[in-house]
Amino acid sequence: MVLTTDTKFSEIYAIIKGDSVQGESVLILVARDCDSIAACKILTEILKSDLIAYNVKAVSGYEDLENINSTLLENEEIKSIIMINCGGNIDITNVFTNLNDQQVAYIIDSHRPYSMNNINNESSVLIIDDGTYIEQDELQQLTDDSEEDDGIDEEEEDLEVEEEEEEQKGQEEEEEEEEEEEQEKEFNPENEFNPENEDNPENEEDEENEEKINKIKKNKKNKKDKKSKRKHRKKKKKSEKLEKTYYGKSAAVSMYSLSTFLNKQNLDNLLWYAVLGLTDQFIHEKITMDSYEQQYKHFKELILNSYPANEDEDEEERYRSGNDEDDYDENGDLKTHPSSILLSGDKIIPSDDFRFMLYRHWNLYESLYNSRYIACKLRVWKAKGRFQLESLFAMMGIPLDQVKQRFNSMNVHYKKQLKPLLAINGPKFGLVNLYFNSFLKKYSNNSEISASDTVYAVTALMESDNLESDQSDQDIWEQNFWEAYDSISNKNIDLLKIGLKQSIQLQKEITRQVTSMIEKRSVILSGPFRYSFITESSELKYFTHPLALTKLGLFMMDAFISMGKAKRPFLIGALNENKNSYLIVGISGSHSTDIQSNTFGEYFRKSAEFTNASFKYQSFDTSIVEVSKTDLHKFIEHLHGSMQTNQTK
């Protein structure tokens, strides 16, 4: 079933707490992304505050859930299974076949839509929702009962503008139908037309009436056919929406909200963890910019109330971005000062952040060159684009030797003038949206790290390959998970530094790969979508991970848009030589296309079933799959056919 009211969570927590007296009764299953880790951090802080023992288990996909079913669930001490960003969109009872009558799976998952079997389960599954379930439930009813389409309040429909116009036209047609029905009553054949009166002098008039009646009936039939087709299109669109995958609020944001009902929101770092979860969704384009802005305003208010400005702290200082030169050591890294691990001096600051990534830990030139927004606007894969980038710096009056050294070593004057100079000169190059609202964490020694940089670092740590080659894939990613988990703690700034360096290296490789794919023309247009596959061994290391491959796909999609190509979904794949299979990510849209929902998951499933391809999900996002190398051709062929057919309907 679905828990739609946050306030009821206190009752659920009381049950979990009551069961904990019997031992380690709480099992926490956590997906491998920054939002999930942040949500888990909030949950474990809450549990620790009440001395509740727990066990955290990282899960990367459905196979891990099956393994847990055959091992951990046999432990009779476990009463509560809390699933973070995993399980909401699959039938849990089909996976957890060993659940006993005393065990309940509590799901806090941002993946949408929920599995209807989970929604209808009244005993062993409870979804703790963020408030979006009611809308989904209403949409389901619309699809199930097309006869009630005309009675639906249009405000409850999430349809495109074109469909709203069709609805308006349909109402006008219905009004015309009503008028014609009244006219038809006036010419009722039982009253006005009698074929037996052939010699009647009024027969000529009756024949005219008959023609009018037939014409009206024909028009009425045509309009009923149009109305039926319109209903069919509406039903099809609503049904398709249910098949699309999308995201609700971040699990960390939901968990923080739940903490407030337990009066636990003031525990260490909970607010920062929630900010990281929200930022993770924004950076990886899982939510719309409007949704992010709305949630940002909420957290900004919370933060300003939690961290009031000091009397000697002016507005410019409060909202500044970037560290000063004294915040770094001789190697250009953030200083790790003993006071930086003291909670009393740490604070969160609302801040404008640039849309070029990791610049505080990089040099300005490479940060702009490798950031997707700037790179696509200027088309830096061409000589002209690189010339434009250098021209931008020249117009800003910043020498190249300044922008090509580490940002922290730049002249303080240039750093302070960076924002106004970009505001003046950026629009000349089409760079008009260079900032987004975000947050900084300021340590007591005045060093800082932004929420976005933290997310980049945590994500890079989770998908790192810098481990011993003789370890299994499972061992590698589990070790990566725990390093990422530990990195967002105040006591592990050194881990964040490693993640920042790995993230920079990954982004450079993504830009290089985009340039290579464009120059080699390795992207293929396949009717309804574009696709490309990475097969060269030297390029595979970075892209056998879901999030890294997704970043590459988003970059390629925006690159084609910047070149004036039609907006189309993008399919990106990378060969995993060890598994003899391809990791494939389907991307339906991005912030550039104003589309955050994804249709690939349903098409992937249908294509795999039809072709009997060796196929499995590589995360809890159904648009990320693994397909056997031998089955790839027929899988893509059917995928093309099914999407093409649906597009022409």
Side-chain angles (χ1 to χ4, degrees):
M1 63 178 292
V2 177
L3 180 68
T4 58
T5 306
D6 287 344
T7 52
K8 292 183 179 179
F9 181 70
S10 57
E11 301 173 14
I12 301 302
Y13 185 74
I15 296 173
I16 296 173
K17 186 176 180 180
D19 290 337
S20 68
V21 297
Q22 302 178 17
E24 195 174 86
S25 63
V26 179
L27 173 63
I28 306 173
L29 306 180
V30 189
R32 56 175 183 180
D33 57 64
C34 185
D35 176 39
S36 302
I37 286 178
C40 183
K41 282 283 192 178
I42 295 174
L43 176 59
T44 54
E45 289 296 329
I46 293 172
L47 295 177
K48 285 189 290 186
S49 71
D50 287 317
L51 303 179
I52 298 176
Y54 59 85
N55 179 21
V56 176
K57 182 68 176 177
V59 289
S60 62
Y62 302 117
E63 285 188 355
D64 289 334
L65 295 183
E66 291 171 352
N67 292 335
I68 286 170
N69 177 64
S70 61
T71 55
L72 296 180
L73 293 191
E74 294 179 355
N75 183 353
E76 294 183 356
E77 286 189 356
I78 294 176
K79 297 294 187 296
S80 305
I81 301 101
I82 302 177
M83 307 181 70
I84 299 177
N85 278 341
C86 57
N89 55 358
I90 60 172
D91 184 357
I92 287 299
T93 55
N94 278 348
V95 180
F96 287 168
T97 56
N98 289 332
L99 280 177
N100 60 47
D101 294 339
Q102 304 300 315
Q103 293 174 326
V104 178
Y106 301 98
I107 300 174
I108 303 173
D109 193 351
S110 61
H111 295 95
R112 300 289 187 277
Y114 295 134
S115 164
M116 290 304 297
N117 291 324
N118 290 341
I119 291 172
N120 296 328
N121 190 304
E122 297 289 338
S123 57
S124 56
V125 178
L126 179 64
I127 298 175
I128 302 173
D129 185 62
D130 59 9
T132 61
Y133 165 70
I134 296 176
E135 178 183 350
Q136 177 185 331
D137 186 46
E138 290 172 352
L139 187 60
Q140 179 71 50
Q141 291 177 14
L142 294 177
T143 307
D144 290 343
D145 193 355
S146 61
E147 295 300 322
E148 297 179 1
D149 280 350
D150 292 338
I152 298 169
D153 187 341
E154 202 164 312
E155 292 181 357
E156 296 175 353
E157 299 179 3
D158 185 19
L159 305 175
E160 301 293 335
V161 174
E162 292 84 353
E163 188 172 349
E164 292 176 358
E165 293 174 351
E166 286 182 9
E167 182 70 19
Q168 185 176 357
K169 291 178 182 177
Q171 291 174 356
E172 293 173 356
E173 290 175 357
E174 289 173 6
E175 291 175 0
E176 293 175 5
E177 277 187 349
E178 291 176 359
E179 292 177 2
E180 290 169 356
E181 286 173 359
E182 291 298 323
Q183 295 176 18
E184 185 177 356
K185 289 178 182 178
E186 296 176 5
F187 297 104
N188 191 313
E190 294 181 3
N191 299 329
E192 302 292 337
F193 182 68
N194 190 341
E196 294 180 358
N197 298 330
E198 294 185 32
D199 297 327
N200 192 311
E202 298 180 356
N203 277 354
E204 187 176 336
E205 182 180 348
D206 290 340
E207 289 176 1
E208 292 178 1
N209 291 342
E210 182 181 15
E211 290 178 3
K212 290 181 180 180
I213 292 170
N214 290 335
K215 186 176 180 180
I216 290 171
K217 286 183 176 180
K218 184 177 180 180
N219 289 338
K220 183 177 179 181
K221 182 178 184 301
N222 289 338
K223 288 178 179 179
K224 282 186 175 179
D225 289 342
K226 289 180 181 178
K227 183 177 178 181
S228 176
K229 290 178 180 179
R230 188 170 66 251
K231 283 185 176 182
H232 175 73
R233 287 195 301 269
K234 286 171 65 179
K235 180 179 178 181
K236 180 175 178 290
K237 286 184 179 181
K238 292 165 188 170
S239 177
E240 283 178 348
K241 178 159 186 178
L242 283 177
E243 292 177 351
K244 294 178 181 178
T245 58
Y246 57 102
Y247 286 85
K249 288 183 180 179
S250 106
V253 169
S254 297
M255 188 62 72
Y256 180 81
S257 177
L258 296 174
S259 74
T260 63
F261 292 102
L262 302 175
N263 293 319
K264 305 280 189 179
Q265 68 271 24
N266 293 324
L267 293 172
D268 293 346
N269 289 318
L270 263 58
L271 193 52
W272 178 242
Y273 297 146
V275 165
L276 294 181
L278 174 61
T279 305
D280 179 52
Q281 282 200 322
F282 177 70
I283 283 177
H284 293 109
E285 306 198 12
K286 297 178 179 179
I287 56 175
T288 64
M289 299 184 79
D290 288 343
S291 175
Y292 174 79
E293 285 296 328
Q294 183 179 4
Q295 295 182 72
Y296 166 83
K297 291 176 183 177
H298 170 67
F299 278 101
K300 179 180 178 181
E301 183 179 351
L302 289 176
I303 286 168
L304 292 179
N305 290 332
S306 300
Y307 301 94
N310 298 328
E311 294 181 0
D312 58 347
E313 182 180 32
D314 59 24
E315 192 72 8
E316 181 180 355
E317 171 68 15
R318 184 168 181 77
Y319 289 92
R320 72 186 180 89
S321 59
N323 295 292
D324 291 330
E325 190 170 355
D326 292 339
D327 296 334
Y328 296 86
D329 59 25
E330 62 276 8
N331 297 319
D333 293 322
L334 278 173
K335 292 179 180 178
T336 305
H337 192 277
S339 61
S340 67
I341 65 173
L342 299 177
L343 297 175
S344 59
D346 298 343
K347 64 172 64 176
I348 305 171
I349 305 172
S351 171
D352 290 337
D353 208 352
F354 290 115
R355 290 185 69 179
F356 36 92
M357 58 186 292
L358 299 166
Y359 69 94
R360 300 174 184 87
H361 317 283
W362 209 344
N363 68 65
L364 201 56
Y365 183 92
E366 288 197 72
S367 175
L368 270 69
Y369 179 87
N370 290 283
S371 294
R372 173 157 55 106
Y373 176 74
I374 307 292
C376 290
K377 284 290 185 180
L378 301 181
R379 302 185 199 177
V380 298
W381 48 86
K382 293 186 175 182
K384 182 179 178 181
R386 294 188 288 274
F387 175 76
Q388 284 187 314
L389 179 59
E390 293 183 2
S391 298
L392 171 63
F393 289 123
M395 294 183 72
M396 293 167 59
I398 305 179
L400 283 179
D401 65 339
Q402 285 286 316
V403 297
K404 289 187 175 182
Q405 61 181 293
R406 285 189 65 109
F407 181 79
N408 64 288
S409 299
M410 280 181 63
N411 186 293
V412 175
H413 169 73
Y414 294 130
K415 288 195 288 185
K416 288 184 176 180
Q417 292 299 311
L418 182 59
K419 186 174 180 179
L421 287 173
L422 281 172
I424 295 171
N425 296 283
K428 299 173 185 177
F429 297 85
L431 305 175
V432 293
N433 298 310
L434 283 170
Y435 321 100
F436 65 95
N437 293 317
S438 188
F439 302 95
L440 290 167
K441 186 166 188 180
K442 184 175 180 179
Y443 296 101
S444 54
N445 70 336
N446 286 331
S447 64
E448 302 168 344
I449 188 164
S450 69
S452 59
D453 288 352
T454 303
V455 170
Y456 286 129
V458 171
T459 303
L461 286 170
M462 271 188 291
E463 298 197 332
S464 170
D465 280 318
N466 296 335
L467 296 171
E468 297 298 327
S469 59
D470 59 348
Q471 290 181 287
S472 68
D473 289 345
Q474 182 75 12
D475 290 339
I476 289 174
W477 89 256
E478 282 191 3
Q479 182 173 334
N480 287 343
F481 174 88
W482 287 113
E483 288 189 355
Y485 184 90
D486 291 338
S487 70
I488 60 175
S489 167
N490 283 351
K491 299 178 181 179
N492 288 286
I493 296 177
D494 288 340
L495 278 175
L496 270 185
K497 293 178 185 178
I498 295 172
L500 290 167
K501 292 177 180 178
Q502 291 177 352
S503 183
I504 287 172
Q505 184 61 39
L506 171 62
Q507 194 62 29
K508 289 167 68 175
E509 184 60 28
I510 288 174
T511 307
R512 193 198 66 77
Q513 186 65 38
V514 167
T515 302
S516 174
M517 293 168 76
I518 292 174
E519 290 177 346
K520 294 178 180 179
R521 300 180 180 273
S522 59
V523 177
I524 300 171
L525 175 61
S526 177
F529 62 90
R530 295 185 177 90
Y531 72 90
S532 184
F533 293 99
I534 306 169
T535 58
E536 296 182 15
S537 299
S538 60
E539 302 171 342
L540 295 175
K541 173 182 177 181
Y542 296 97
F543 300 113
T544 54
H545 305 288
L547 292 176
L549 195 58
T550 300
K551 290 177 182 177
L552 175 59
L554 287 167
F555 204 140
M556 284 303 308
M557 176 180 281
D558 283 0
F560 272 87
I561 293 172
S562 73
M563 292 187 287
K565 306 296 184 181
K567 296 178 181 179
R568 294 182 187 273
F570 198 89
L571 190 75
I572 185 75
L575 175 64
N576 188 321
E577 294 176 313
N578 294 332
K579 296 183 178 180
N580 200 33
S581 63
Y582 279 87
L583 176 66
I584 298 175
V585 176
I587 303 169
S588 291
S590 66
H591 286 163
S592 299
T593 62
D594 295 324
I595 298 173
Q596 256 62 59
S597 59
N598 199 321
T599 58
F600 273 105
E602 185 69 12
Y603 286 118
F604 283 168
R605 182 185 63 80
K606 290 179 179 178
S607 295
E609 289 177 355
F610 185 87
T611 61
N612 198 29
S614 177
F615 166 95
K616 64 180 179 180
Y617 292 107
Q618 270 301 313
S619 78
F620 297 101
D621 185 335
T622 56
S623 62
I624 302 173
V625 299
E626 183 180 299
V627 178
S628 170
K629 183 178 179 180
T630 57
D631 294 330
L632 180 67
H633 178 74
K634 63 180 181 180
F635 178 82
I636 296 297
E637 190 175 62
H638 184 270
L639 182 68
H640 165 85
S642 60
M643 293 183 72
Q644 184 74 49
T645 300
N646 189 70
Q647 192 178 60
T648 56
K649 284 183 180 179

